[in-house]
Amino acid sequence: MNLLSVLPLALVMIAGPQIISAIFLASSRDARRSSLAFLVGAGLAVIVALTVWYVVFHTVRGAGDGQHKNDGTRRLIDWVVLLVLLALMAMIFSRRKRTQPPKWMSKLQEAKPRFAFGLGVLLFVAMPSDEATMLAVAGSLAGHDKPWWHLLPFLCLTLLLLALPLLALLAFGQRAAAALPKIRNWANDHSWWVSEAVILIFVAIVVSDLLK
């Protein structure tokens, strides 16, 4: 297990309400300030959650005494991560038909930066799918004795993906503004199978580690 293995899970982190909210905010009345506030809130929520899960699994990993126990704790953590990933796949599959954004998202067109910041925190703290993804990432890295800072590229990629609607708007102006609703609709309809494909690849990596 290495850093590159967990990076694709950033796609799972932003699929669904997260990227949809980012698109709405990018086309809102105060797009720059609200989008930046959203990214700050999301970044804060993600790094705190990742760190908490990393400390938990690092503590479990350090509880082993000797090579045999260390191998045992690593395999235990891999099993926990695998079960969480399978539960995450089932969760995403069960929600695949929810293609219409919640009604509250229409209010994001008028969102203030303070509201956007709170939304960024809430979407990544209160969403079970994101908590499961962060658990899997932190558990995989801690279980394989990777340092804490290996979480940072995952955080940065997650925020970069969330920032794409704003970056597109800044770079391409009205052309991007016209395209964002179409991208939003595509994400509503298809993000679930992108997430499933990414998780399935990571499941294969975890199973490969367990079979060694």
Side-chain angles (χ1 to χ4, degrees):
M1 187 70 63
N2 55 49
L3 172 61
L4 294 178
S5 300
V6 302
L7 287 181
L9 288 175
L11 288 169
V12 182
M13 288 288 291
I14 60 96
Q18 295 80 4
I19 192 63
I20 302 301
S21 296
I23 293 173
F24 270 115
L25 289 171
S27 56
S28 67
R29 183 168 298 179
D30 195 1
R32 295 187 184 186
R33 293 175 62 211
S34 294
S35 294
L36 287 174
F38 179 72
L39 290 171
V40 171
L44 179 62
V46 172
I47 193 59
V48 169
L50 283 172
T51 300
V52 169
W53 285 120
Y54 181 87
V55 170
V56 169
F57 284 108
H58 186 69
T59 302
V60 173
R61 179 74 168 128
D65 183 16
Q67 184 63 36
H68 180 70
K69 276 196 173 182
N70 282 335
D71 288 343
T73 55
R74 179 185 64 79
R75 291 178 66 81
L76 173 62
I77 292 173
D78 280 346
W79 275 111
V80 171
V81 169
L82 178 60
L83 292 175
V84 168
L85 289 171
L86 294 176
L88 179 58
M89 290 185 71
M91 189 187 311
I92 292 171
F93 186 76
S94 68
R95 296 175 178 176
R96 69 193 185 282
K97 294 182 180 179
R98 299 180 187 179
T99 57
Q100 294 301 317
K103 292 182 179 179
W104 60 264
M105 281 191 176
S106 61
K107 299 179 181 179
L108 294 180
Q109 300 288 343
E110 307 294 329
K112 301 295 183 182
R114 180 179 296 182
F115 177 83
F117 174 84
L119 180 65
V121 172
L122 186 63
L123 282 178
F124 287 91
V125 168
M127 292 290 288
S129 58
D130 278 345
E131 282 296 330
T133 305
M134 290 186 284
L135 183 154
V137 169
S140 297
L141 294 177
H144 289 261
D145 297 322
K146 304 302 180 183
W148 173 86
W149 68 264
H150 278 210
L151 296 170
L152 298 181
F154 176 81
L155 168 68
C156 292
L157 181 56
T158 299
L159 293 180
L160 177 61
L161 293 172
L162 277 181
L164 287 179
L166 177 62
L167 294 175
L169 193 68
L170 294 176
F172 301 107
Q174 289 303 314
R175 284 184 295 173
L180 284 176
K182 297 177 182 178
I183 297 172
R184 184 184 67 214
N185 292 336
W186 187 93
N188 254 336
D189 295 337
H190 301 94
S191 63
W192 73 270
W193 64 258
V194 175
S195 295
E196 294 282 54
V198 171
I199 297 170
L200 189 60
I201 293 171
F202 196 65
V203 164
I205 295 171
V206 175
V207 170
S208 176
D209 280 339
L210 284 169
L211 293 176
K212 290 181 180 177

